[in-house]
Amino acid sequence: MDVADRIAITDLINLHGHLVDSGERYDELFTPDVEYDVSDLGGGVITGRAALWEAGLALGDNNPVGHHVTNIVLTEVGPDEVTARSKAIGITADGRCASLVYEDVVARTPDGWLISRRRVVLRRRPLGR
């Protein structure tokens, strides 16, 4: 993983909030067979870009209005795979917020780097307890 890869992957993770919060399609973020695990939020594992898009539409006004990502840490697993761990803050329309961790697997594809798996972990207690 060179500097250009690091920049591309970091931009990919940062772009998620912009596209989701504005209601834009986000096919350029995920592999077609992405596994998006929101079990910690009560949603189970969603498989595939189309199913992920439909799940977002089904949430409607219950979607957060802001997805904010920070503290991105990348680890090379192989020449075409990287794990990414980042912190996220989700903000709802009524002002509630939640602290989350995104655990991503990012794969190099013919279309560039794409998220192939994301696990969303809800932080409920301080100090990792």
Side-chain angles (χ1 to χ4, degrees), residues 22-72:
S22 65
E24 295 177 57
R25 290 294 300 213
Y26 40 79
D27 291 348
E28 70 230 54
L29 301 179
F30 301 106
T31 60
D33 60 347
V34 63
E35 291 181 4
Y36 202 95
D37 185 350
V38 286
S39 298
D40 253 18
L41 305 175
V45 178
I46 302 164
T47 303
R49 279 194 304 227
L52 184 57
W53 178 255
E54 291 301 320
L57 292 177
L59 275 176
D61 288 342
N62 291 318
N63 278 293
V65 296
H67 294 76
H68 304 280
V69 178
T70 186
N71 299 31
I72 300 169

Side-chain angles (χ1 to χ4, degrees), residues 1-14 72-76 82-83 108 113:
M1 176 174 48
D2 62 19
V3 172
D5 291 329
R6 285 188 171 277
I7 291 170
I9 294 166
T10 300
D11 285 353
L12 170 75
I13 293 167
N14 285 326
I72 300 169
V73 178
L74 305 177
T75 304
E76 187 172 15
V82 170
T83 60
R108 186 190 318 263
W113 289 99

